[in-house]
Amino acid sequence: MFARLAVNIPAISGIFDYAIPPELALQIKAGCLVVVPFGNQTVQGIVIELTESSSIQNPKSIIDLLDPAPVLTPPQIALAIRMAETTLNPLASMVSLMIPTGLSQQADISYELRDTSFQETNSKVASRIIDLLKERGILRGRQIDSHFAKVDWRKTANMLVKKGVLSAKNVLPAPRVRPKYIRVAQLSVKPEAAEAEMESLGSTKQTLARRQAALRFLIHQPDAINLSWIYAETGCNIADLQELEERGLIRLFENEIFRDPLGKIEKQTTSDELTLTSEQTSALQQITSAFSFQPSAFLLYGVTGSGKTEIYLRAAEEVIQKGKQVIVLVPEIALTPQLVRRFLSRFPGQVGLVHSKLSEGERYDTWRRARDGRLNVIIGARSALFSPLPNIGLIVVDECHDSSYYQAEPPYYNAMTSAQDYARLCGAVCVMGSATPTIEQRFQAEHSDMQMLGLPNRVTDSALPPVQVVDMREELKNGNRGIFSRSLTESLAETISRGEQTIIFLNRRGTATYIFCRDCGHVLKCPNCETPLTLHIENKEQLLCHHCGYTRKRPGKCPQCSSEQIREYGLGSEKVEADIKAMFPQARTLRWDWDTTRSKDAHEIILTHFANHQADVLIGTQMLAKGLDLPMVTLVGIVLADVGLNLPDPFASEKVFQTLTQVAGRAGRSARGGKVILQTFMPEHYAIQFAAQHDVNGFYERELEYRKQLGYPPYARLARLEYRHKDNVKAEDEANKLAGRLKIKIEAEKRHQTELIGPVPSFFAKDNSEYRWQIVVRGPDPVSLLRDIKPSDWKIEIDPISLL
């Protein structure tokens, strides 16, 4: 027998044949994780399929099997192949998404210092490498990477290897994750027998007291218990427990424990079952009928507060009763604790959580429990889609319009479209829910086998909140130069006085958008990205680049003309918070943006504080557009609604409309009602007008016509190709070369409906010291055009969500 493998080297495409040694012949199956030789390296590989013949003579043999159980299910293998075909990523990259971090390991090079007397005077990098290895001993390449940020040290290391100063050898690190065990103790005799030994447990009074306390504690504990609990409760030590074990009264052993991130989440008592509206009942019936007949995909299009989550819960109950499992994808798990708690209360002990903020151990244990069929529901961000559940019956994609389902770093993929493919491969039902589905999703529901289910009304008696559009140009004419219009200031004062809550939305972090010199007009920019630096007052008046993280102190003088007239322009969330505190000193404020939520559990803490009414005003950025249910919020103020409208991106208007509609939906979700005040300098723009009327249908028709005129999705498909280089001339030259090759191929294959846009510099023309050039391919099938021409140094995005 032979095995076809995808090897864990991300840049390598295709699958490779290996012989199966006789001792592993009965153990190796499709989906197994193995160790194999590849060139002069030892690497991990995943068995894609078994075959009785090999396409090459005398293939190398598999070295070892890392896990007796397959790490990928057959539908996962099929999904990885499908994703590799449709996104033009290597199969190994797709497979690596499905293996938990820590278990998946890539080959590395181990460096050791051989000549300790060697002194390098010409190269600072060489001296740093030698000093590091002297101090730390043998290190792997990825360990050295952490000491050399943005420095290419490997060429220098290779030079030192040739000189005999260093030795280098290929290594495959062992998996970093493994099951966790704790030491436990348990009574091993009947309680009466233990009581009979109480007086003979020690020669001194203190020793006797400790051992008696430990033994009595264990008499009342039917199950094995963690030693640290026994120490804390009784004051005994390990020597005492070992003595009790030697006397045959207890036994000490190790128990495996699962690291469960849900253990910290406060359990909610299950409330009485909600009564569904007629609209919810109709939608649920259509979804559940698909479980018994032909599985299909549904777009659950419901306004904010229309009860989509309850439909997910009822559909999940139906699936679990049939012995199958459920995957629920949410845009960002930290922003949806309410949904997680509702699933936990409905399915206690059956829910697993998957997202990037978990430790490697927590992710590994959740992954193993899913693989073993011990969990019925997996909830998480896009990576949760790859949990190895054995028999999936339902995949839910909540807030399916959200851009965070798109992975904007290699390997590029969209979890929303992958979820639809995966559901088909599993024979499962896919339900995508949103109040503002994308134009492509809505078009797909109207022109394919996907069904659209409507929930046009909120489940409570409250209607969607009225939206007041304030023209900030008129405010300026009337002498108001502040951040807030008169209307928003008055409404804010009224809401605070009534003891209700307000959300203030601004799509910008920091204090000021940019810093400039009033004398010469010079704008302070990032040296790596050439984008304006943002002022952050809270961080010692630092200037920060939001692209690459570059920071510097705010200068006292202009670096161009030495003038002291350095001023800040624009506003950010820090500035808005400072102004609210100045106007309403009695109001308790919270800020919720990227800067305040970098620590673990910060999202949960801020949201819990606000939900418990420990703050009156919540100031935030994009995060506020997620599915939050906050009944005490009766006012939403949108400070600058037109941010992003004028970006040269065909999807800009849709993104602004979705964000405004979602944020507006946070108001008036209880009987108290509510209102929204939307401030803008462009009140006539159609995205602003339709958002103010909560008119999703009107926006869809208008935007669809705009896309049709320009030939953008859903009327064509796009592929974005990006080239980066530190030399702008080199980047432009490479972009022109590839564009020439593509034009020849388009003409040769008579692809009359396919065209190139570019090559041109990207909107953000420089990022992290590299110049960016891009080509956009627009046509019916850009994937087939690029499949044979895939340039290795280029980033390729199929169906990108932004052209910036």
Side-chain angles (χ1 to χ4, degrees):
M1 290 293 291
F2 299 90
R4 292 204 168 123
L5 269 63
V7 294
N8 193 3
I9 304 175
I12 299 290
S13 297
I15 53 178
F16 301 88
D17 287 4
Y18 284 85
I20 300 175
E23 65 272 17
L24 296 177
L26 297 176
Q27 296 172 265
I28 288 182
K29 312 177 188 71
C32 279
L33 182 65
V34 295
V35 177
V36 294
F38 190 85
N40 62 352
Q41 304 177 78
T42 302
V43 300
Q44 284 185 353
I46 288 284
V47 178
I48 299 299
E49 62 176 342
L50 300 179
T51 174
E52 293 183 359
S53 60
S54 171
S55 56
I56 58 171
Q57 287 285 326
N58 302 318
K60 294 178 180 177
S61 183
I62 291 171
I63 297 171
D64 195 13
L65 174 65
L66 283 174
D67 192 326
V71 297
L72 263 61
T73 64
Q76 281 185 300
I77 295 171
L79 176 64
I81 293 168
R82 167 79 179 157
M83 288 174 70
E85 288 172 352
T86 56
T87 65
L88 300 182
N89 284 298
L91 178 59
S93 294
M94 298 292 96
V95 167
S96 68
L97 294 170
M98 302 178 183
I99 306 174
T101 53
L103 182 61
S104 173
Q105 292 291 324
Q106 291 174 10
D108 206 344
I109 297 173
S110 173
Y111 293 92
E112 183 178 6
L113 184 61
R114 294 179 65 185
D115 184 354
T116 55
S117 62
F118 182 80
Q119 295 291 322
E120 176 58 63
T121 55
N122 299 326
S123 168
K124 284 184 179 178
V125 175
S127 298
R128 281 179 65 190
I129 293 171
I130 291 166
D131 291 343
L132 182 65
L133 293 174
K134 273 182 185 174
E135 182 188 340
R136 299 282 302 276
I138 301 170
L139 291 175
R140 295 194 309 273
R142 283 194 286 278
Q143 292 172 315
I144 299 174
D145 281 338
S146 62
H147 294 270
F148 285 86
K150 300 176 185 175
V151 174
D152 183 8
W153 59 268
R154 290 176 191 269
K155 286 180 184 174
T156 307
N158 291 338
M159 176 269 292
L160 293 171
V161 170
K162 285 175 185 172
K163 288 183 176 181
V165 180
L166 306 182
S167 66
K169 66 175 183 178
N170 290 296
V171 293
L172 178 65
R176 292 192 303 271
V177 289
R178 57 183 62 87
K180 184 177 182 180
Y181 291 90
I182 57 166
R183 294 201 71 189
V184 294
Q186 190 173 23
L187 197 68
S188 61
V189 296
K190 290 185 177 178
E192 310 87 69
E195 289 285 359
E197 295 289 326
M198 281 292 178
E199 297 307 318
S200 61
L201 295 179
S203 54
T204 69
K205 199 173 182 181
Q206 293 89 341
T207 306
L208 181 65
R210 289 197 313 270
R211 292 174 184 173
Q212 284 178 341
L215 193 56
R216 284 204 176 95
F217 181 69
L218 289 170
I219 287 171
H220 295 99
Q221 299 294 330
D223 299 319
I225 191 160
N226 190 340
L227 295 195
S228 58
W229 276 103
I230 305 172
Y231 302 153
E233 288 285 338
T234 68
C236 74
N237 54 43
I238 186 63
D240 295 324
L241 295 178
Q242 286 170 340
E243 175 64 27
L244 294 176
E245 184 185 36
E246 282 181 23
R247 291 172 180 246
L249 298 172
I250 68 170
R251 64 190 188 103
L252 299 174
F253 56 102
E254 287 195 331
N255 246 3
E256 183 183 351
I257 60 161
F258 284 104
R259 292 155 283 203
D260 185 5
L262 288 169
K264 292 176 285 189
I265 293 185
E266 187 184 327
K267 302 291 186 293
Q268 280 187 334
T269 52
T270 310
S271 56
D272 295 334
E273 189 126 317
L274 300 169
T275 304
L276 298 185
T277 65
S278 57
E279 292 159 354
Q280 285 176 303
T281 303
S282 172
L284 182 63
Q285 282 174 349
Q286 291 186 67
I287 293 168
T288 53
S289 65
F291 297 145
S292 306
F293 301 104
Q294 181 65 37
S296 55
F298 295 93
L299 176 62
L300 185 59
Y301 161 46
V303 298
T304 53
S306 58
K308 295 184 285 292
T309 303
E310 187 61 29
I311 291 176
Y312 305 153
L313 286 160
R314 303 279 181 105
E317 277 177 340
E318 187 86 14
V319 166
I320 291 168
Q321 284 172 7
K322 293 179 181 294
K324 296 186 176 184
Q325 297 92 40
V326 182
I327 291 176
V328 181
L329 299 186
V330 292
E332 291 177 58
I333 195 75
L335 308 184
T336 49
Q338 293 157 330
L339 181 139
V340 173
R341 285 198 177 96
R342 286 182 68 180
F343 269 91
L344 267 177
S345 65
R346 199 72 63 94
F347 307 105
Q350 302 175 64
V351 179
L353 202 58
V354 176
H355 59 92
S356 59
K357 291 284 174 71
L358 301 182
S359 69
E360 286 186 351
E362 287 172 331
R363 293 190 78 157
Y364 177 60
D365 283 356
T366 303
W367 175 84
R368 285 194 302 135
R369 290 162 72 204
R371 181 177 67 169
D372 296 344
R374 297 191 225 178
L375 297 173
N376 283 325
V377 181
I378 292 289
I379 303 178
R382 58 176 180 263
S383 59
L385 180 65
F386 308 122
S387 301
L389 293 168
N391 191 4
I392 297 167
L394 173 67
I395 299 176
V396 172
V397 187
D398 190 33
E399 307 289 358
C400 61
H401 66 278
D402 200 283
S403 60
S404 49
Y405 286 123
Y406 185 81
Q407 178 154 302
E409 57 192 34
Y412 302 103
Y413 73 95
N414 194 323
M416 195 276 300
T417 51
S418 296
Q420 291 176 263
D421 289 336
Y422 196 26
R424 277 193 290 271
L425 292 167
C426 294
V429 170
C430 183
V431 177
M432 305 186 302
S434 175
T436 53
T438 66
I439 302 299
E440 291 97 309
Q441 288 163 358
R442 181 87 178 263
F443 190 83
Q444 185 187 0
E446 292 178 356
H447 296 87
S448 74
D449 54 358
M450 183 192 290
Q451 298 179 55
M452 187 156 74
L453 308 173
L455 298 174
N457 300 301
R458 284 183 161 181
V459 291
T460 58
D461 294 333
S462 59
L464 288 168
V467 180
Q468 177 187 347
V469 178
V470 178
D471 187 344
M472 294 303 285
R473 296 171 301 188
E474 292 299 319
E475 292 287 314
L476 281 173
K477 285 179 190 173
N478 295 329
N480 179 12
R481 298 187 176 277
I483 296 173
F484 303 114
S485 61
R486 289 183 174 87
S487 178
L488 182 52
T489 305
E490 290 165 8
S491 298
L492 196 52
E494 289 170 14
T495 307
I496 292 168
S497 68
R498 288 198 303 267
E500 294 166 353
Q501 291 180 298
T502 301
I503 282 177
I504 299 292
F505 172 76
L506 176 76
N507 204 10
R508 279 183 179 149
R509 289 154 48 203
T511 304
T513 313
Y514 62 89
I515 305 296
F516 74 113
C517 172
R518 289 179 69 171
D519 284 349
C520 72
H522 175 71
V523 175
L524 274 78
K525 293 185 176 180
C526 171
N528 302 326
C529 307
E530 294 185 355
T531 53
L533 294 167
T534 302
L535 174 67
H536 286 255
I537 286 178
E538 280 192 0
N539 202 358
K540 297 179 182 176
E541 293 221 343
Q542 272 198 335
L543 304 183
L544 173 66
C545 173
H546 288 171
H547 286 272
C548 72
Y550 168 84
T551 60
R552 62 159 293 174
K553 286 184 178 177
R554 177 178 175 164
K557 293 181 179 179
C558 171
Q560 194 90 347
C561 71
S562 299
S563 164
E564 294 184 0
Q565 295 296 312
I566 299 288
R567 295 290 183 269
E568 59 264 18
Y569 181 79
L571 68 150
S573 49
E574 285 181 25
K575 170 73 170 161
V576 171
E577 183 182 35
D579 279 26
I580 288 176
K581 284 179 175 176
M583 286 192 299
F584 305 103
Q586 78 281 15
R588 299 165 299 169
T589 62
L590 272 175
R591 200 173 87 246
W592 195 13
D593 57 19
W594 188 83
D595 299 293
T596 60
T597 55
R598 279 180 285 182
S599 60
K600 192 176 180 182
D601 301 327
H603 290 286
E604 175 83 4
I605 292 164
I606 291 172
L607 187 56
T608 302
H609 270 62
F610 193 65
N612 292 338
H613 207 164
Q614 290 170 280
D616 305 302
V617 184
L618 180 62
I619 300 120
T621 54
Q622 281 280 12
M623 298 166 184
L624 292 175
K626 313 297 177 181
L628 305 174
D629 188 6
L630 300 163
M632 287 296 288
V633 173
T634 57
L635 174 65
V636 168
I638 300 171
V639 175
L640 209 57
D642 23 293
V643 170
L645 270 181
N646 293 316
L647 290 171
D649 183 19
F651 312 113
S653 295
E654 179 180 28
K655 287 170 187 168
V656 171
F657 171 78
Q658 286 171 338
T659 301
L660 297 180
T661 305
Q662 292 284 345
V663 172
R666 302 307 121 218
R669 291 172 77 109
S670 69
R672 293 170 179 268
K675 67 176 178 178
V676 180
I677 295 175
L678 188 156
Q679 299 180 171
T680 175
F681 285 94
M682 301 172 64
E684 67 285 347
H685 195 286
Y686 68 94
I688 304 280
Q689 289 290 324
F690 285 122
Q693 296 157 27
H694 304 284
D695 188 357
V696 178
N697 294 332
F699 178 81
Y700 170 70
E701 289 163 12
R702 173 71 181 269
E703 184 73 5
L704 197 62
E705 185 58 35
Y706 161 77
R707 300 274 185 94
K708 190 173 186 178
Q709 289 169 7
L710 294 179
Y712 280 115
Y715 296 101
R717 292 187 66 195
L718 303 178
R720 179 178 170 275
L721 295 87
E722 180 190 307
Y723 187 82
R724 292 180 174 225
H725 202 276
K726 292 186 183 295
D727 181 352
N728 194 30
V729 175
K730 165 78 171 169
E732 182 180 4
D733 186 45
E734 288 295 324
N736 284 319
K737 280 182 191 172
L738 180 61
R741 288 172 61 199
L742 289 171
K743 283 173 185 170
I744 291 168
K745 196 166 191 284
I746 288 169
E747 288 170 16
E749 296 176 3
K750 295 185 169 55
R751 293 176 180 259
H752 303 302
Q753 293 176 282
T754 301
E755 59 181 319
L756 300 186
I757 303 170
V760 292
S762 302
F763 177 74
F764 298 109
K766 194 179 181 188
D767 181 30
N768 210 3
S769 301
E770 291 182 317
Y771 291 92
R772 303 167 69 224
W773 279 73
Q774 71 180 34
I775 300 169
V776 175
V777 182
R778 178 168 61 186
D781 186 13
V783 174
S784 63
L785 173 73
L786 297 169
R787 182 166 282 125
D788 302 327
I789 210 170
K790 278 192 294 184
S792 58
D793 295 336
W794 285 71
K795 291 182 177 180
I796 302 176
E797 293 180 84
I798 305 300
D799 300 322
I801 60 167
S802 169
L803 297 185
L804 300 177

